[in-house]
Amino acid sequence: MTDFLAMHFDWFADPTAWVALLTLIVLEVVLGIDNLIFISILTNKLPKEHQQRARTIGIGAALIMRLLLLATISIIVRLTDPVFSLFGHGFSWRDLILIAGGLFLVWKATKEIHHTVDPEDHKDTMMGDAVTMGIGAAIFQILLLDLVFSIDSIITAVGMTDEIAIMYIAVIVAVTVMLVAVNPLSNFIAKNPTIVMLALGFLLMIGMTLIADGMGFHVPKGYIYAAMGFSALVEALNMLARRRKARRSEEKP
């Protein structure tokens, strides 16, 4: 037991390891935002009695998936090795998974944007079908994106540190934050319909970023989250303006 602790927790006395841990926790939480937005939008389409269960299962599955991927770290590292080349670019399994996940996100976000713009024409939207098919269909779709985001998350962790214990702690803390934040975020999206369109725009942008990354065109995450933050700030100002306008209308005799 003493040898095990010495092997996996000898970094406790290293200040740089603590800096790496805190940095990785922040990165994992930020990477989890994409996952949270998707889960919130999808579960809000379910009947009320199924929403909490679907969110818990979705985030629980994200944690399990990340921990299982960490347990097979040697396999995950090899996912970045090219398996074939096309147009001068070597594609790895990670690239293919990111491209598939990006296409799925772009298709799903586009379908839901169409449904939001034209609510009468929603016969072929998977978001609409999720209510009909029930919680099982919603969880299946959440699991698909959990896999994509989990692989990206773990590869980020591997690039940050060599200490497996630091990776486990960062992932567990980040998913715990997701579990705490998912209900407030889902409720906020449900109460503010305009936020839905903004969130769908985020998913569309994230999907395109995943595709670009898989094709070998890396877009720095800082640019993506800066754009999301700016858009959220503009929407917050719009919401504030609408509320003040509504109050003034109520105060008028």
Side-chain angles (χ1 to χ4, degrees):
M1 183 68 177
T2 305
D3 292 340
F4 176 83
L5 292 175
M7 183 185 300
H8 294 284
F9 294 94
D10 56 351
W11 54 271
F12 260 68
D14 184 2
T16 58
W18 284 96
V19 172
L21 174 61
L22 293 175
T23 305
L24 187 54
I25 287 174
V26 172
L27 281 175
E28 293 294 325
V29 169
V30 171
L31 287 172
I33 292 172
D34 309 343
N35 222 157
L36 270 186
I37 292 173
F38 180 81
I39 290 173
S40 298
I41 290 178
L42 186 57
T43 54
N44 279 348
K45 293 292 178 178
L46 291 169
K48 285 280 187 185
E49 62 270 21
H50 294 320
Q51 290 180 6
Q52 179 59 48
R53 185 182 168 200
R55 289 167 195 158
T56 304
I57 292 175
I59 294 178
L63 174 60
I64 293 170
M65 213 168 286
R66 282 164 169 78
L67 295 180
L68 287 175
L69 289 174
L70 278 174
T72 58
I73 200 74
S74 59
I75 298 174
I76 296 301
V77 171
R78 287 201 298 272
L79 285 178
T80 58
D81 296 336
V83 290
F84 68 91
S85 295
L86 192 64
F87 304 118
H89 173 66
F91 288 87
S92 65
W93 283 112
R94 172 185 176 271
D95 294 334
L96 297 177
I97 291 170
L98 289 181
I99 291 170
L103 288 171
F104 179 71
L105 263 186
V106 168
W107 174 75
K108 182 170 260 320
T110 303
K111 282 285 187 181
E112 186 59 14
I113 287 172
H114 172 69
H115 168 57
T116 305
V117 173
D118 187 6
E120 296 301 320
D121 182 18
H122 60 274
K123 296 177 182 178
D124 58 346
T125 59
M126 284 191 69
M127 290 291 195
D129 291 346
V131 178
T132 306
M133 291 186 289
I135 189 172
I139 291 173
F140 176 73
Q141 293 170 52
I142 290 171
L143 290 178
L144 285 178
L145 265 296
D146 274 349
L147 176 62
V148 177
F149 291 130
S150 294
I151 288 175
D152 209 23
S153 168
I154 297 308
I155 289 176
T156 299
V158 172
M160 280 290 300
T161 180
D162 294 326
E163 293 287 349
I164 193 72
I166 290 178
M167 296 181 202
Y168 272 105
I169 293 171
V171 165
I172 291 171
V173 170
V175 176
T176 302
V177 171
M178 287 171 61
L179 189 60
V180 172
V182 67
N183 281 336
L185 179 62
S186 299
N187 293 336
F188 182 73
I189 288 175
K191 291 176 182 177
N192 298 275
T194 57
I195 294 293
V196 174
M197 188 63 75
L198 182 64
L200 288 170
F202 288 164
L203 289 181
L204 198 59
M205 181 171 61
I206 293 163
M208 292 301 297
T209 304
L210 291 176
I211 295 170
D213 201 351
M215 297 292 288
F217 302 97
H218 180 66
V219 181
K221 296 283 194 210
Y223 294 156
I224 303 301
Y225 294 120
M228 291 171 67
F230 179 76
S231 301
L233 176 61
V234 171
E235 180 58 27
L237 292 174
N238 282 331
M239 289 171 61
L240 182 61
R242 285 195 297 269
R243 286 178 183 175
R244 288 190 173 179
K245 187 176 180 180
R247 285 177 186 172
R248 286 171 186 168
S249 298
E250 291 174 358
E251 290 171 0
K252 285 182 180 180

